[in-house]
Amino acid sequence: MRNYLAAECYKVVRRKYLYIALFVVLALEGLMVWGCWFTSSNGNPNMDFYAAVTTIPLMLSVGLYATILTGDLAFSEQYKHNTLKNEVAYGLPRARIYLGKLLVATLVALLAAVIMVGVYIAGCWILLPHTGMEQAGLDLVWFALAGAFPLWLGGQAVAMASYFLVRNTTVAAFVSVGLLGVLPAVFQACGLLIHPMFEMIRQFMPAVMLEMLPNYAFQWDYIGRCWVVGLAVLAGATLVGLVAFRNKEIR
């Protein structure tokens, strides 16, 4: 497995797609930081380091959908190029192929998240005024990330299962968006039109829990709920993906 992970990581870091996507996101972050600095330097007393960094918990849902990109990076259109067929024909266990790509996608997503959060916080720290609330703002960010991380893991597992089980990469990406983003809206409608039970189930979907996370600041029981749900989605999606991929005809 170590050799397989090393080979997959090598393939990912050589893809221009990774650096283009990271550059675009960092450029957008830079624009946000510049906007915060601009409004602060033009007399807005409410814009300081605390106000800027506490927007991070409001943007955590972006990380859920970013797992679709990192899954695509790791999977790398292998059905289109027939490389997955070659790996199976070479004798690599299907479980190693599946779990290896899932781990690589997760590592890339984790590294990208560290870079993006770190760059944003550093930019805000350098450019924006400090009012004594810096530690409170950072504590809120760490709390939000503690709850978001397991939900992102679950999202990554859903995205990877989609790429393995759907031959067309574009369709797989849309399936991932549907499962992660559209399905909660469907359950919300069913809760209104059919039975409240659907709304109860919806409250435990990763996208909804990420949206609600800022409302539960420093309520650690909610963080525990995030971990239970995130790990359950991770285990369930991985199990479904592994079983289906093991029985899937590769051609």
Side-chain angles (χ1 to χ4, degrees):
M1 175 63 87
R2 184 177 64 180
N3 293 335
Y4 186 78
L5 288 175
E8 290 298 305
C9 288
Y10 178 76
K11 288 195 299 185
V12 169
V13 299
R14 285 176 57 86
R15 296 194 67 188
K16 294 180 181 179
Y17 176 12
L18 170 63
Y19 303 102
I20 293 173
L22 190 58
F23 173 79
V24 170
V25 173
L26 292 179
L28 293 173
E29 281 190 356
L31 186 61
M32 287 184 60
V33 174
W34 177 84
C36 293
W37 169 83
F38 182 80
T39 185
S40 175
S41 62
N42 281 273
N44 184 354
N46 297 319
M47 179 51 66
D48 54 19
F49 175 81
Y50 175 84
V53 298
T54 52
T55 61
I56 293 177
L58 303 176
M59 299 185 291
L60 294 176
S61 294
V62 175
L64 185 67
Y65 301 107
T67 59
I68 300 172
L69 296 180
T70 52
D72 184 34
L73 273 167
F75 194 76
S76 189
E77 295 196 2
Q78 294 209 293
Y79 284 121
K80 179 179 178 180
H81 302 298
N82 285 327
T83 49
L84 191 62
K85 179 180 179 180
N86 294 338
E87 290 183 20
V88 173
Y90 186 73
L92 292 175
R94 293 198 181 198
R96 183 187 303 175
I97 296 172
Y98 190 97
L99 295 177
K101 295 186 190 303
L102 176 59
L103 284 172
V104 169
T106 302
L107 288 173
V108 172
L110 179 58
L111 180 60
V114 170
I115 293 173
M116 289 185 289
V117 173
V119 167
Y120 183 78
I121 291 176
C124 293
W125 183 273
I126 294 170
L127 295 176
L128 297 176
H130 296 197
T131 58
M133 295 289 290
E134 293 78 28
Q135 190 58 53
L138 291 174
D139 288 343
L140 184 60
V141 171
W142 308 142
F143 171 85
L145 292 175
F149 178 66
L151 299 173
W152 289 343
L153 289 180
Q156 189 66 80
V158 170
M160 189 54 65
S162 299
Y163 283 117
F164 265 95
L165 303 183
V166 180
R167 291 189 60 87
N168 186 286
T169 300
T170 303
V171 175
F174 277 107
V175 170
S176 300
V177 171
L179 292 174
L180 295 173
V182 178
L183 191 59
V186 173
F187 270 69
Q188 184 178 35
C190 291
L192 292 172
L193 300 174
I194 301 176
H195 195 278
M197 176 187 65
F198 289 98
E199 177 61 27
M200 292 175 59
I201 297 173
R202 175 180 171 271
Q203 296 301 315
F204 291 94
M205 293 183 172
V208 177
M209 297 192 74
L210 284 169
E211 291 175 3
M212 297 297 297
L213 191 53
N215 299 330
Y216 290 89
F218 303 112
Q219 296 185 33
W220 291 100
D221 58 329
Y222 191 78
I223 295 297
R225 197 184 309 170
C226 290
W227 276 88
V228 171
V229 170
L231 294 180
V233 174
L234 171 64
T238 302
L239 180 61
V240 170
L242 272 172
V243 172
F245 178 58
R246 183 172 295 175
N247 298 319
K248 184 178 178 65
E249 180 182 356
I250 307 298
R251 50 185 173 80

